[in-house]
Amino acid sequence: MKVSDFNYELPEELIAQTPIEKRDESRLMVLNRERKTIEHRKFKDIIEYLEPGDVLVRNNTKVIPARLYGVKETGAKIEFLLLNNIEKDIWECIVRPGNKLHVGTSVIFGDGILNAKIIEVMPGGTRKVEFHYNGIFNEILDKIGLMPLPPYIHEELKQKNRYQTIYAKHNGSAAAPTAGLHFTEELIEKLQKKGVIISNVTLHVGIGTFRPVKEETVENHKMHSEHFYIKQEDADKINQAKKNGKRVIAVGTTSCRVLETIADEKGEVKPTEGDTQIFIYPGYKFKCLDGLITNFHLPQSTLLMLVSALAGKDYIMEAYEQAVKEKYRFFSFGDAMFIKT
């Protein structure tokens, strides 16, 4: 299977640069996998497609202000992007310019309230960095860090919380699980009143989610690793839905990847903590997932391959062609798609 098979033409003006004013007023494209139909709705209409007993599995990770600007002792300007908390105050970081940051180099951030030392050059060019500070690390990040917006967003984000789901809880992501950005407190309340069950997983999204597939053949691509966990109470909700013949619907590809990593052949899940590198592309047999709420993804991306695995490549490519024609908003701050049975 060729990566180029997952290409499509996207006019640049359809890449959403800012979030819509009210989260659930974004557009919603509804795909019915059995009937192969395409409907155009508002996101708040999702309630019409969910039934009592269905479980929505959402990722409650929280994006940290992971982009830091500092200076070397020489005065040279440096940019860090925190990727992965290895242990305590040691992080894996993307650094720019990388050629100037060798082992032993020190960097100062925020007039000295945060200091860093390069302790290792890691495979792929990232750096293992040890931070030194007084106080609480996350509070310092809130003070001097910036939200690590994707490279295709060029506008300044005026409200930090708009690159955060309303249910974000556990610090650790370098990018938002963007399918969840469409939910409001009011909409979740209405869903729960209808009998829709909410289950949580936590997967800390890495910046690898934006990295392009460099292989020509899909099967040769290696996924980046991301840390996740799911608690007993949340696993129980999913298993009960399966027993009752109800649907398990993932909010976003991150939740989907957790479910498919931990599910057994019957689709049952257990409380688990670990790392996943699962790569889902056409031909994959889903074990747990019945439906998916997701955004519109980059051409030739692993996320586009994932939704193609669920709905069928030709059907997805037709839907994307319609989305372009109907001027849907694409990517992180864009509109949503619901792939249902």
Side-chain angles (χ1 to χ4, degrees), residues 284-307:
Y284 178 84
K285 301 296 180 196
F286 286 85
K287 297 174 288 186
C288 184
L289 198 75
D290 299 303
L292 177 66
I293 296 168
T294 187
N295 279 19
F296 290 89
H297 304 297
L298 289 160
Q300 300 188 36
S301 64
T302 59
L303 304 182
L304 183 54
M305 294 168 196
L306 186 154
V307 295

Side-chain angles (χ1 to χ4, degrees), residues 83-324:
L83 287 188
N84 177 33
N85 187 197
I86 297 169
E87 57 174 312
K88 294 183 181 177
D89 295 319
I90 297 175
W91 286 74
E92 179 185 4
C93 300
I94 292 175
V95 298
R96 295 190 185 94
N99 60 343
K100 293 186 178 178
L101 290 172
H102 308 294
V103 172
T105 304
S106 294
V107 181
I108 302 160
F109 301 96
D111 296 326
I113 65 170
L114 183 65
N115 293 279
K117 192 167 201 176
I118 309 295
I119 56 176
E120 186 184 325
V121 177
M122 299 181 74
T126 58
R127 301 296 195 274
K128 192 182 281 189
V129 176
E130 185 169 14
F131 288 98
H132 302 275
Y133 53 91
N134 291 315
I136 298 169
F137 188 66
N138 282 326
E139 288 181 1
I140 292 169
L141 285 187
D142 281 339
K143 205 176 281 185
I144 65 173
L146 298 173
M147 279 296 183
L149 293 178
Y152 47 74
I153 292 176
H154 310 297
E155 297 277 332
E156 184 186 347
L157 181 63
K158 291 177 181 173
Q159 296 171 287
K160 270 188 186 181
N161 70 334
R162 290 310 307 271
Y163 193 56
Q164 206 79 269
T165 63
I166 57 159
Y167 46 80
K169 188 174 181 183
H170 301 292
N171 283 312
S173 276
T178 54
L181 296 179
H182 304 283
F183 286 91
T184 62
E185 296 280 8
E186 182 188 17
L187 180 56
I188 288 174
E189 194 177 311
K190 284 180 180 175
L191 287 167
Q192 289 177 311
K193 276 184 181 171
K194 187 175 182 179
V196 175
I197 295 158
I198 305 294
S199 175
N200 293 304
V201 298
T202 306
L203 179 140
H204 294 314
V205 187
I207 210 72
T209 192
F210 302 120
R211 284 182 174 153
V213 179
K214 293 181 178 175
E215 303 287 349
E216 286 184 16
T217 305
V218 168
E219 293 84 349
N220 292 341
H221 177 67
K222 296 285 186 290
M223 287 291 285
H224 55 286
S225 180
E226 293 172 314
H227 193 70
F228 73 88
Y229 54 89
I230 177 172
K231 296 178 180 175
Q232 182 74 58
E233 63 190 90
D234 296 302
D236 288 345
K237 291 174 184 176
I238 294 163
N239 292 336
Q240 193 59 51
K242 284 289 179 190
K243 281 177 190 167
N244 295 342
K246 301 297 183 179
R247 294 177 300 174
V248 174
I249 295 160
V251 179
T253 56
T254 57
S255 302
C256 165
R257 292 177 70 235
V258 172
L259 292 174
E260 292 300 313
T261 296
I262 63 176
D264 64 18
E265 292 309 312
K266 295 178 185 174
E268 292 183 1
V269 299
K270 293 178 182 175
T272 313
E273 179 168 3
D275 299 295
T276 182
Q277 287 182 282
I278 191 170
F279 181 21
I280 297 173
Y281 55 87
Y284 178 84
K285 301 296 180 196
F286 286 85
K287 297 174 288 186
C288 184
L289 198 75
D290 299 303
L292 177 66
I293 296 168
T294 187
N295 279 19
F296 290 89
H297 304 297
L298 289 160
Q300 300 188 36
S301 64
T302 59
L303 304 182
L304 183 54
M305 294 168 196
L306 186 154
V307 295
S308 296
L310 182 62
K313 178 182 161 293
D314 292 344
Y315 184 30
I316 283 291
M317 298 314 281
E318 180 194 342
Y320 270 61
E321 193 177 316
Q322 273 209 35
V324 170

